[in-house]
Amino acid sequence: AKRKVISEFLLDTQIGKKRLASMPDRVTNQIETDVGVVFRPSVVSCYEGGFGTLGDWWGNWFNFMFRDRLKMKGEEVLPAELLVPIQRAKYPALTEEEEPISIPLQAVYQAAFDAALVHIVNQAAPREWAQAKQRIVEARKGR
């Protein structure tokens, strides 16, 4: 089904109550590895790579989550493997059907959330947003 990006997806309170986008963001936005911190390719992370088109971003995002292994505490892991099940007992908005598939649902919702933001900023200010984000990332490094 087609949904409006902002009013029917980003502002959908049920997605927030179920933690389908916020929970995976917590564990993949910034990841401590044996060689330093890495960031999910996202408008809301300190990822420094460019996105270019939505297709360019998608390739970077998919590889980050599902192909590029990270070394953490001597073990190689994929960021997608860091996702944890969401428990209905803690988040009752999650349905009985969603609970056992909460890990793949989180991956899908995180991808959709990140894609929506990349689309929005690319539509609003294709060149300017990347420059502004770079200034913010540089300022955060100085903290």
Side-chain angles (χ1 to χ4, degrees):
K2 286 193 170 201
R3 297 181 80 183
K4 294 179 180 173
V5 173
I6 296 175
S7 64
E8 295 178 3
F9 179 68
L10 293 177
L11 298 177
D12 184 333
T13 59
Q14 286 302 303
I15 294 170
K17 289 178 182 175
K18 295 175 183 186
R19 301 297 190 258
L20 291 171
S22 61
M23 191 70 72
D25 180 61
R26 289 179 190 167
V27 297
T28 63
N29 184 301
Q30 173 178 312
I31 302 172
E32 284 284 340
T33 72
D34 292 353
V35 295
V37 178
V38 296
F39 301 95
R40 186 181 76 250
S42 173
V43 171
V44 297
S45 76
C46 287
Y47 178 76
E48 293 187 69
F51 296 141
T53 67
L54 193 58
D56 294 335
W57 163 82
W58 173 245
N60 291 334
W61 192 94
F62 186 88
N63 288 338
F64 174 82
M65 289 295 287
F66 301 110
R67 289 199 176 134
D68 300 336
R69 295 196 164 274
L70 306 174
K71 200 161 198 178
M72 297 176 65
K73 299 178 183 170
E75 306 234 350
E76 288 193 357
V77 297
L78 292 170
E81 294 170 335
L82 301 174
L83 301 178
V84 296
I86 299 174
Q87 304 297 321
R88 192 163 182 249
K90 187 167 183 178
Y91 301 103
L94 200 68
T95 67
E96 287 182 36
E97 295 81 16
E98 292 167 331
E99 185 176 30
I101 60 169
S102 65
I103 290 177
L105 278 177
Q106 289 176 73
V108 168
Y109 275 84
Q110 188 65 69
F113 175 80
D114 285 340
L117 294 183
V118 170
H119 174 73
I120 289 167
V121 298
N122 276 341
Q123 291 297 308
R127 290 181 194 88
E128 296 84 359
W129 85 265
Q131 294 167 351
K133 181 180 180 195
Q134 187 61 40
R135 287 192 299 273
I136 292 167
V137 169
E138 290 300 321
R140 289 196 67 194
K141 283 182 184 177
R143 283 201 229 169

